[in-house]
Amino acid sequence: MKTALIIGSTGLIGSQLLNLLLDSNDYLKVIAFVKRDTGIKHPKLTQHVIDFDKPETYKELIVGDDFFCTIGTTITKAGSNDAFRKVDFEYPRQFATFALLNKVKQYLIISSLGADAKSGNFYLKTKGEIQDFLKDCDFESISVLQPSLLLGNRTEFRLGEKVGAFFMKTLSFLLLGNLKKYKPIEGKTVAKALVKIAQTNNKGFKIYESDVIQEIGN
């Protein structure tokens, strides 16, 4: 019986993941780090309301077996490249550093299809940089999930994502063979894949692209 740790538990994937972890027989305890009280009550859940910009206040709290990082934003929502990078690079890096110090065995993170530290796209570049950082971390297991366009009900409305999802769903029948990985994917499917991958006891660093995530999460 393990302890799961999670940041990003109020997002599209994270909220689904939290429910799955609480229902899972593989976890005795679930620890969520949040900016504000979510009001969620469950006998297995411990919720730490923290200031993410004061790492010294939560360093000692990151103790468990499997760390799930589903935190993320958009440049538009964040308001600037620097603010976006703080959420999608600095926070995951800080938690990973503390998790290593506290002997957490496994780190799983949601990235993005096309993530590449050498990309000219700032979003994909940032996602690639956190992947490269984690690749050099000495966890027993590091799993990077790279979903395509995400489907599901978010707490905030994203017009571009809604339009993209409509056209991608309409044309998804054309995405065959090597193009299958570009099909839109449900947030809940990604969450299911996260939980399943965490139980495989894989060693080392591994990237899962969207079509593989779809197969695992079904």
Side-chain angles (χ1 to χ4, degrees):
M1 297 291 284
K2 299 186 291 182
T3 294
L5 306 110
I6 178 173
I7 55 172
S9 60
T10 60
L12 174 61
I13 296 173
S15 58
Q16 301 279 359
L17 174 62
L18 180 61
N19 290 331
L20 291 172
L21 293 174
L22 293 173
D23 288 341
S24 172
N25 291 326
D26 292 303
Y27 296 97
L28 181 65
K29 186 176 183 180
V30 179
I31 302 173
F33 297 89
V34 295
K35 289 184 176 181
R36 60 190 64 86
D37 190 347
T38 63
I40 299 173
K41 305 296 181 184
H42 192 283
K44 288 168 61 171
L45 178 63
T46 297
Q47 183 175 259
H48 293 303
V49 179
I50 63 168
D51 183 340
F52 280 71
D53 295 320
K54 295 181 178 179
E56 69 281 357
T57 63
Y58 57 81
K59 177 180 179 180
E60 305 298 330
L61 301 176
I62 306 171
V63 179
D65 300 285
D66 301 338
F67 191 100
F68 296 89
C69 178
T70 62
I71 197 170
T73 186
T74 64
I75 296 174
T76 300
K77 183 180 178 182
S80 69
N81 284 357
D82 286 345
F84 166 77
R85 182 177 172 80
K86 177 183 283 190
V87 174
D88 279 62
F89 180 85
E90 294 298 340
Y91 294 159
R93 179 193 62 79
Q94 190 63 74
F95 274 89
T97 301
F98 291 157
L100 266 179
L101 289 173
N102 295 337
K103 310 299 183 183
V104 174
K105 296 178 181 179
Q106 185 166 201
Y107 194 99
L108 304 97
I109 188 171
I110 299 300
S111 181
S112 174
L113 197 63
D116 186 343
K118 297 179 181 179
S119 175
N121 178 287
F122 187 79
Y123 178 89
L124 295 177
K125 180 177 185 293
T126 303
K127 293 290 191 182
E129 287 173 343
I130 189 60
Q131 289 182 185
D132 287 355
F133 170 81
L134 291 170
K135 193 171 185 179
D136 292 330
C137 289
D138 195 26
F139 288 101
E140 286 187 14
S141 175
I142 303 168
S143 299
V144 177
L145 279 68
Q146 295 183 340
S148 182
L149 184 65
L150 291 168
L151 303 177
N153 296 318
R154 294 188 182 273
T155 55
E156 82 277 3
F157 180 74
R158 298 182 182 180
L159 177 60
E161 212 169 68
K162 290 291 185 182
V163 173
F166 172 77
F167 284 106
M168 288 293 283
K169 286 176 72 174
T170 302
L171 300 173
S172 62
F173 70 95
L174 297 173
L175 302 175
L176 305 172
N178 292 334
L179 298 178
K180 282 176 62 178
K181 64 184 179 182
Y182 295 105
K183 289 184 177 182
I185 186 169
E186 292 284 346
K188 188 171 185 178
T189 301
V190 180
K192 288 180 178 179
L194 275 169
V195 177
K196 289 182 179 180
I197 291 169
Q199 314 318 314
T200 60
N201 296 314
N202 288 330
K203 304 298 182 183
F205 179 89
K206 187 170 183 179
I207 291 176
Y208 299 82
E209 291 191 324
S210 201
D211 54 333
V212 177
I213 297 171
Q214 181 72 56
E215 292 176 8
I216 296 172
N218 278 341

